[in-house]
Amino acid sequence: MGKKCEGCKIAENYNYWSELPATKHQFFKVMYGDFEHQMNIPQKFMECFKEKLSPWYTLIAPSKHKWKIRLSSTYDERPLVFTDGWKQFVRDNGVETNDFLVFRFVGDSSFEVSVFDKSGCEKEGCHFSINSNSISRRFSCTSNLHINHGSVAKEEIEICDSSSEDYSLWKEDEEETEDVSHVITEEKRERRGGSSEGKFPQSQKYFISNRRDLKPGEKKRASKMAECYRRSMKDNKRVFPVFQITMLPTHVYRGFNLTIPKVWANKHMIKESHEVELRVPDSTKGSWRVGCRWTKGGSIQCQLRSKWPVFVLENNLEEHDTCVFELIQKGISDDVRTPIFNVHIFRTVDHIVPLTVSTRMV
């Protein structure tokens, strides 16, 4: 077998670390010893890596979920190590002794990580792992296949049969769906010179979805996950009142208003115009103040109107996505106390693509 000369080895080393893009660089580590608490970075990688080192790196699992990890050094002569956040990554991805991890640099201080077990095969669960920080207030399970996330198992969907006795309290009935057209008509009337209440510049525009075409069955995916989630709320004795809405074009692309189910609103909402606070659990964007009012005329309804488009656009809601609204603080009239909702969002497609503003007016 032929051997490489020393000159070629030197040239290969130089070209690999200096000429190849950093996104071609990768290293592996075998998990042993005290791997759960920290992990040493190979010394050669740190010495030869041409990118500027960052105190924090993002690790991306095959599931595409991310973990922030601190890169630090305990002593001058020791290699750099992953410390803060590493233990959570290990736990969430089920990393065990003798597992084999491959780290591939993908830019922006990030590594994609593949995990193999001692059999030599990739660990299946890493393709469905979730950062536990994002679900700590819901479930202890960190699998993307849990009833609240990702693809719902067939038997779980069957348990959450939409024919359950209280299903009508969770979804808009036919009468309320028809009333949406009444809302659109009223919205247009306001723009022609009527009341200015609830106006927002984006609500006068038409938004176009850039999401890929949905596959057969995906239109029902979000609502099934939402139904399973609210069932789990009951099983876990969550006592807050909730209602469930599957997004229509008039909720998210044009018009921008959402009618709260009539029976639920009569029971739980303040009987006058007011604001509500919407919170998305685990969101880093804070909360949203949205105007809520009761319509006048033949069909009296409770609607989210003013600033609702802000909530929609900042949370990338699209048609067929489903929201479970959980009233964690009931409001009191005269602005003594604002109603607060946790809004749990379930998407037909996990990958988010921002909407495009059309020149067409509603």
Side-chain angles (χ1 to χ4, degrees):
M1 180 181 292
K3 295 184 179 179
K4 294 179 181 179
C5 66
E6 289 302 315
C8 287
K9 289 181 181 179
I10 293 172
E12 288 173 348
N13 181 283
Y14 174 82
N15 279 275
Y16 178 86
W17 292 108
S18 301
E19 299 299 328
L20 287 181
T23 51
K24 294 287 187 179
H25 297 162
Q26 54 190 335
F27 66 89
F28 77 87
K29 291 288 293 185
V30 178
M31 300 295 103
Y32 61 89
D34 191 31
F35 74 90
E36 294 181 349
H37 297 91
Q38 63 180 36
M39 192 201 79
N40 295 352
I41 308 299
Q43 190 68 22
K44 180 180 179 180
F45 188 90
M46 290 292 96
E47 291 173 350
C48 298
F49 191 51
K50 65 182 180 181
E51 292 288 314
K52 183 178 179 181
L53 296 180
S54 168
W56 288 91
Y57 277 86
T58 299
L59 301 187
I60 308 171
S63 64
K64 302 305 180 184
H65 281 262
K66 301 177 181 179
W67 289 258
K68 285 286 186 182
I69 313 293
R70 181 185 293 276
L71 183 66
S72 58
S73 179
T74 53
Y75 302 105
D76 292 341
E77 301 301 322
R78 294 188 61 182
L80 296 173
V81 295
F82 284 146
T83 54
D84 299 352
W86 171 251
K87 185 175 182 179
Q88 181 182 332
F89 175 84
V90 167
R91 181 179 62 248
D92 291 346
N93 287 279
V95 179
E96 300 174 307
T97 301
N98 294 325
D99 283 351
F100 178 102
L101 275 62
V102 177
F103 297 78
R104 185 173 70 85
F105 185 71
V106 292
D108 195 25
S109 299
S110 301
F111 287 93
E112 288 185 345
V113 186
S114 299
V115 183
F116 300 82
D117 62 26
K118 59 185 178 181
S119 73
C121 296
E122 191 174 13
K123 298 194 82 165
E124 300 90 339
C126 295
H127 283 267
F128 310 102
S129 60
I130 297 173
N131 189 322
S132 58
N133 274 347
S134 69
I135 60 170
S136 57
R137 281 176 279 176
R138 300 183 188 178
F139 299 100
S140 59
C141 179
T142 58
S143 172
N144 199 43
L145 294 183
H146 194 76
I147 59 173
N148 186 38
H149 303 276
S151 301
V152 184
K154 181 176 184 294
E155 55 269 28
E156 290 173 332
I157 293 175
E158 291 174 348
I159 291 173
C160 301
D161 187 355
S162 62
S163 63
S164 57
E165 59 183 2
D166 59 348
Y167 184 70
S168 62
L169 296 179
W170 298 84
K171 302 188 74 175
E172 294 178 292
D173 56 27
E174 292 182 0
E175 178 185 5
E176 289 163 338
T177 301
E178 291 173 356
D179 286 337
V180 172
S181 61
H182 166 79
V183 174
I184 297 171
T185 302
E186 184 175 357
E187 178 98 0
K188 290 180 178 178
R189 186 165 55 247
E190 288 179 355
R191 292 176 190 153
R192 289 197 297 267
S195 170
S196 62
E197 180 183 349
K199 281 194 174 183
F200 177 75
Q202 288 174 316
S203 68
Q204 298 184 26
K205 297 177 181 177
Y206 181 89
F207 286 80
I208 299 173
S209 173
N210 296 303
R211 182 177 62 189
R212 65 168 174 78
D213 292 338
L214 298 180
K215 299 177 183 178
E218 283 188 324
K219 290 182 179 181
K220 299 287 186 180
R221 174 180 184 250
S223 61
K224 288 177 179 178
M225 287 193 294
E227 290 160 22
C228 286
Y229 175 61
R230 54 97 171 172
R231 177 64 63 196
S232 72
M233 293 171 70
K234 288 190 173 183
D235 293 341
N236 293 325
K237 296 181 169 48
R238 293 277 289 273
V239 297
F240 297 116
V242 296
F243 67 90
Q244 173 180 325
I245 299 287
T246 296
M247 298 296 108
L248 300 172
T250 50
H251 297 145
V252 295
Y253 298 148
R254 60 180 184 272
F256 287 102
N257 54 76
L258 183 141
T259 300
I260 298 174
K262 190 179 302 182
V263 174
W264 195 95
N266 283 327
K267 184 176 181 180
H268 299 289
M269 298 300 291
I270 300 172
K271 301 302 191 295
E272 59 187 35
S273 295
H274 59 286
E275 283 191 333
V276 300
E277 181 178 334
L278 304 183
R279 300 175 180 176
V280 177
D282 309 312
S283 171
T284 60
K285 297 181 180 179
S287 61
W288 293 260
R289 287 271 182 159
V290 175
C292 181
R293 73 170 194 175
W294 291 82
T295 63
K296 300 178 181 179
S299 181
I300 300 176
Q301 300 172 326
C302 187
Q303 302 170 346
L304 299 183
R305 296 285 293 272
S306 175
K307 302 297 178 65
W308 169 250
V310 177
F311 179 82
V312 167
L313 297 173
E314 292 190 0
N315 287 283
N316 300 289
L317 290 178
E318 297 229 30
E319 184 183 9
H320 303 299
D321 289 347
T322 299
C323 294
V324 173
F325 292 78
E326 181 181 20
L327 183 61
I328 61 174
Q329 174 176 291
K330 193 168 184 178
I332 300 176
S333 59
D334 300 326
D335 295 325
V336 175
R337 191 169 70 181
T338 301
I340 299 176
F341 287 90
N342 273 344
V343 184
H344 306 282
I345 299 173
F346 301 86
R347 304 183 189 278
T348 56
V349 175
D350 293 326
H351 182 62
I352 295 173
V353 183
L355 302 175
T356 298
V357 182
S358 172
T359 55
R360 167 185 167 185
M361 302 300 289
V362 178

